Amino acid sequence: NKTNIDEYFKNIDQQKTGFLSTLEFRTALRNLNIGLSSREIDTIITLCNNVKGMINWQEFCSKMKPR
């Protein structure tokens, strides 16, 4: 459920910036237990990483939304 994923990332984003470090994001994806390999997580981070090394989790969630 998209709302649950949004809430999950929102809770991790303690500074409420809309961004997570790559380490926080990696840990969050692992903790979701959705069966992603380390290589798959690396690929997601590479695709979502901005120039400051941060992940916009709101953008990630919107990209993962079914079309």
Side-chain angles (χ1 to χ4, degrees):
N1 183 312
K2 183 184 180 316
T3 303
N4 292 340
I5 297 292
D6 285 343
E7 286 301 315
Y8 176 72
F9 282 109
K10 192 178 202 178
N11 289 331
I12 295 168
D13 181 14
Q14 294 184 2
Q15 285 136 6
K16 308 300 179 217
T17 61
F19 292 89
L20 297 175
S21 71
T22 54
L23 179 60
E24 290 171 319
F25 190 74
R26 176 184 304 283
T27 301
L29 288 178
R30 281 195 178 132
N31 289 342
L32 283 171
N33 293 320
I34 54 176
L36 294 173
S37 69
S38 292
R39 177 173 271 165
E40 290 168 325
I41 292 173
D42 288 343
T43 299
I44 292 169
I45 288 172
T46 299
L47 293 172
C48 296
N49 205 359
N50 77 8
V51 290
K52 296 179 185 173
M54 302 293 283
I55 307 292
N56 181 328
W57 62 263
Q58 294 164 323
E59 183 177 319
F60 169 76
C61 287
S62 72
K63 287 181 180 181
M64 295 298 110
K65 179 172 56 171
R67 295 178 187 221

